[in-house]
Amino acid sequence: MPHAVSRLRAARLARSVKPFLARGGSRVERCAGCRVPVSHCLCALRPAVPTRAGVCLLMADIEPLKPSNTGWLIADVVADTFAFGWARTFVDPALLALLADPKWQPYVVFPGEFVAPERVVTDVVPVDGKRPLFVLLDATWPEARKMFRKSPYLDQLPVLSLQPEQLSRYRLRRSKHDDHLCTSEVASLCLELAGDQRAAQTLDAYLDVFTNHYLNAKHQRPIDLDDAAHQRLRALR
Ligand SMILES: [Zn+2]
């Protein structure tokens, strides 16, 4: 059964009038399971880790079509990943049902500085009988701001704001030099807050392996299954 992001991608493709051309416009054949050119397919390396938390991706229109979208990787690792396309004038009733489902404790993940302070939380506090559900806006930053502002159904949810110390520790650990975190990195930080450590680490290691395959395919270089990225992912099995 294809995962939520894969299904959203298929639905989005079916709706498009012209074929979507990945950046670079190359005609190389991509694997349907991992979106990487078949020569560099990483489907055999896809990890799955049981988690207490779930992830709900609200995706800007074009995101499911991008072969580099990392929401896909979250859906690979976390079985309870839900994905919805975002539109200003329409909300999927299944999304509203999910947010209202008493088995979940939903949080919108967004920078607290843009939100009324009384809505902001910085920790994931376990609630009896509920599992944390992280609502992630999978979009560019300007799109994410618009989505946050124009989705009244998110207004009553607590806003989980990742803290500067947590972000800088994360950057240090991952030797990241830029400020931008991609969606799977944000998910990894959220999983860590929820106590799903192994899933958090696995998602990070898997992102590195994905990036490795993606870039090597782009530059037509072979894959080294024994390099540091692959070893790290293997060690987490
Ligand atoms: Zn593949």
Side-chain angles (χ1 to χ4, degrees):
M1 170 85 159
H3 62 50
V5 179
S6 170
R7 294 198 303 273
L8 189 61
R9 175 183 164 86
R12 181 60 185 78
L13 276 172
R15 279 209 324 275
S16 33
V17 239
K18 5 177 231 208
F20 175 77
L21 287 179
R23 212 165 16 187
S26 75
R27 275 167 221 285
V28 58
E29 192 198 339
R30 290 178 182 274
C31 169
C34 63
R35 309 158 302 157
V36 169
V38 282
S39 56
H40 289 67
C41 165
L42 68 149
C43 288
L45 305 171
R46 185 187 305 141
V49 184
T51 56
R52 205 169 77 75
V55 176
C56 172
L57 295 166
L58 285 190
M59 301 179 88
D61 184 55
I62 204 80
E63 285 302 328
L65 298 179
K66 291 185 188 164
S68 57
N69 170 275
T70 63
W72 184 285
L73 306 179
I74 304 171
D76 281 338
V77 174
V78 177
D80 282 315
T81 298
F82 307 86
F84 300 92
W86 186 86
R88 193 176 55 79
T89 50
F90 171 79
V91 50
D92 191 329
L95 168 60
L96 299 180
L98 175 68
L99 297 178
D101 186 333
K103 86 168 178 217
W104 295 109
Q105 168 63 55
Y107 297 90
V108 201
V109 182
F110 201 74
E113 68 224 71
F114 300 96
V115 186
E118 59 273 18
R119 279 183 75 192
V120 177
V121 299
T122 55
D123 265 317
V124 176
V125 181
V127 180
D128 261 356
K130 287 181 188 278
R131 298 167 60 192
L133 179 71
F134 300 112
V135 180
L136 303 183
L137 307 178
D138 193 6
T140 62
W141 173 234
E143 284 169 330
R145 286 181 74 160
K146 184 173 88 181
M147 290 159 75
F148 185 81
R149 274 201 325 267
K150 305 204 167 178
S151 307
Y153 46 89
L154 300 178
D155 287 351
Q156 72 277 31
L157 303 181
V159 174
L160 177 66
S161 177
L162 301 170
Q163 293 305 287
E165 315 83 75
Q166 196 191 5
L167 293 168
S168 64
R169 263 202 318 270
Y170 184 79
R171 286 197 189 96
L172 218 63
R173 193 164 76 224
R174 309 245 308 133
S175 340
K176 262 189 85 83
H177 304 298
D178 61 349
D179 267 357
H180 176 79
L181 295 191
C182 68
T183 307
S184 77
E185 292 177 307
V186 173
S188 172
L189 278 163
C190 292
L191 289 167
E192 193 177 279
L193 281 175
D196 285 316
Q197 311 299 349
R198 201 163 76 86
Q201 289 169 11
T202 302
L203 188 54
D204 280 339
Y206 183 47
L207 170 67
D208 289 341
V209 166
F210 169 75
T211 307
N212 175 307
H213 282 239
Y214 187 90
L215 292 178
N216 280 318
K218 189 167 163 185
H219 301 296
Q220 299 177 336
R221 290 185 307 237
I223 292 295
D224 175 4
L225 289 170
D226 287 316
D227 64 13
H230 288 87
Q231 282 189 26
R232 186 165 162 242
L233 182 60
R234 246 192 331 262
L236 286 160
R237 297 238 156 171

